[in-house]
Amino acid sequence: MHFSDVECGKRLFLGTGRPIALGIGQKEIRGSAFLEGPVQMGTADAFDRVLATTMIARDKNTDSIFPPRSLWVKGNTRLEGDLGTANALNITGNTKQVGDTDTDGDIVVSGDARINGTTYADVQGTINVQGWKGFDIVHPSKKGHRLRHICLEGPEGGVYIRGKVKNDKVILLPDYWKNLVDINSITVQLQPIGAHQDIIVKRWDAEKVELQSKPGIPIHCFYHIFAERIDGEQLVVEYKGETPDEYPGDNTQYSIAGYHYDTRN
C-alpha cells in the first residue's frame, strides 16, 4: 500500500508496547510518536545491518538540498551509556567545542596535546598528591621501559634559552623576546669550559647579551638565560583563599591542574 502523504492528528505508534513517558488516557501528549525500532534515516544503503536502534545517514534525497550534516540538535543534550559497548560515545573525525569543559574522571591523550596559555598545578591535600605537570613517553633507548619527566615550577611566568659560546663575545637573543619578556628581568648564568676565563656579562639589551673575558683568552662557555614574560599580569604567588576562584589577579590567563582539569578525589 502506498500513500503520498500521511497526516496523524494525535499520536503515531509503530510496533508493540505502551510508552508510559508519552502519557496514557487523558494525559496522552498530542503530536507524540512511538517507534519500536530499529529506525533508519537518510541514505538507504548507508548501513548493511542493524547497528543501533536509530541509524542516521546523510540525506541524499533528490528533492532535498543535500545538507552537510546528518544530525543537528538545538537545546541541551544528555547521553547515558550502558554496557552495550565499551564506550558511551565514539567519535571518528575532528571535533570542535566552544565553551568550558568539566570532566569528572581521567583524560587519556594518544598524540600531541597543545595548550594555548599557561598551566599551573593546584595542590589538593599533601604535596605528594597534587597534579604535577609532566609527560610520560616510550623510553628512547631501553626496550620495554618508559620515561617520565615533571615540569620545573617557579614563582613567575618564565622562559629561557640555553646554549654554548665559542670564540665569540655576543649571545643573540630570539627576535620574539623583545615583545615577550621584560628585558630588565633577564638573568644570565655562565659556565666556562676547559679553563677559568673570568667571563662577565658586560651589557645586555632586547637583542643580545655581550660578554667580556680576561684579555687574550677566547671565550668558551655554556650559558642559561632566563626572563619573565610580559604578555600577562605578574603571578601572585601567595594569596588568602580556600579555592583558586579567590585568586586576586586575572584568573582567565590560567588553567589550573586539579581544579579546571585533572581533578582527583
Side-chain angles (χ1 to χ4, degrees):
M1 184 179 295
H2 176 78
F3 297 94
S4 296
D5 296 290
V6 176
E7 182 176 340
C8 182
K10 189 149 189 191
R11 303 203 296 175
L12 176 65
F13 279 52
L14 295 178
T16 61
R18 297 288 290 174
I20 299 175
L22 302 181
I24 298 176
Q26 294 182 351
K27 295 183 179 181
E28 293 178 352
I29 301 174
R30 177 179 50 81
S32 60
F34 168 70
L35 289 74
E36 186 178 8
V39 177
Q40 180 175 337
M41 304 172 65
T43 308
D45 59 357
F47 303 94
D48 61 0
R49 65 188 186 281
V50 176
L51 298 176
T53 305
T54 302
M55 297 172 287
I56 305 176
R58 292 287 290 275
D59 174 10
K60 294 186 179 180
N61 189 334
T62 56
D63 290 341
S64 183
I65 60 172
F66 303 107
R69 298 174 179 85
S70 298
L71 178 66
W72 184 303
V73 179
K74 285 192 175 183
N76 294 348
T77 304
R78 176 167 178 159
L79 301 177
E80 293 187 10
D82 55 24
L83 299 179
T85 59
N87 300 306
L89 178 64
N90 285 58
I91 299 175
T92 301
N94 297 331
T95 63
K96 180 178 181 180
Q97 176 176 319
V98 178
D100 296 335
T101 301
D102 186 358
T103 302
D104 185 4
D106 296 335
I107 297 177
V108 179
V109 179
S110 298
D112 297 334
R114 294 179 175 84
I115 300 175
N116 294 324
T118 306
T119 61
Y120 289 84
D122 175 57
V123 179
Q124 304 289 333
T126 65
I127 194 166
N128 291 321
V129 296
Q130 67 174 334
W132 289 341
K133 302 176 295 297
F135 71 88
D136 192 305
I137 62 174
V138 175
H139 199 289
S141 56
K142 292 183 178 181
K143 187 176 181 180
H145 287 69
R146 296 190 65 82
L147 180 67
R148 177 173 294 193
H149 277 187
I150 300 300
C151 297
L152 183 67
E153 299 176 354
E156 65 176 3
V159 295
Y160 77 92
I161 59 171
R162 65 183 181 87
K164 181 169 61 175
V165 176
K166 186 174 184 179
N167 300 326
D168 201 347
K169 296 183 178 181
V170 176
I171 301 172
L172 295 178
L173 301 177
D175 291 340
Y176 56 81
W177 266 36
K178 61 179 177 293
N179 296 318
L180 179 68
V181 306
D182 177 4
I183 301 304
N184 293 321
S185 73
I186 288 179
T187 59
V188 183
Q189 284 73 47
L190 303 171
Q191 177 62 50
I193 299 174
H196 294 292
Q197 301 158 39
D198 291 340
I199 310 172
I200 64 169
V201 175
K202 189 173 183 180
R203 65 178 66 89
W204 75 90
D205 56 30
E207 299 178 350
K208 61 187 180 302
V209 175
E210 296 183 26
L211 308 179
Q212 179 177 293
S213 64
K214 185 181 296 184
I217 298 180
I219 293 175
H220 190 198
C221 69
F222 298 113
Y223 66 83
H224 278 87
I225 303 177
F226 294 84
E228 184 177 5
R229 290 171 57 171
I230 58 172
D231 57 338
E233 66 176 18
Q234 283 192 322
L235 176 67
V236 179
V237 179
E238 295 181 297
Y239 63 92
K240 185 178 180 179
E242 298 294 331
T243 73
D245 278 338
E246 298 171 80
Y247 180 73
D250 180 10
N251 240 341
T252 62
Q253 76 178 50
Y254 304 106
S255 180
I256 309 298
Y259 193 72
H260 295 137
Y261 69 94
D262 192 24
T263 304
R264 307 180 187 192
N265 295 327

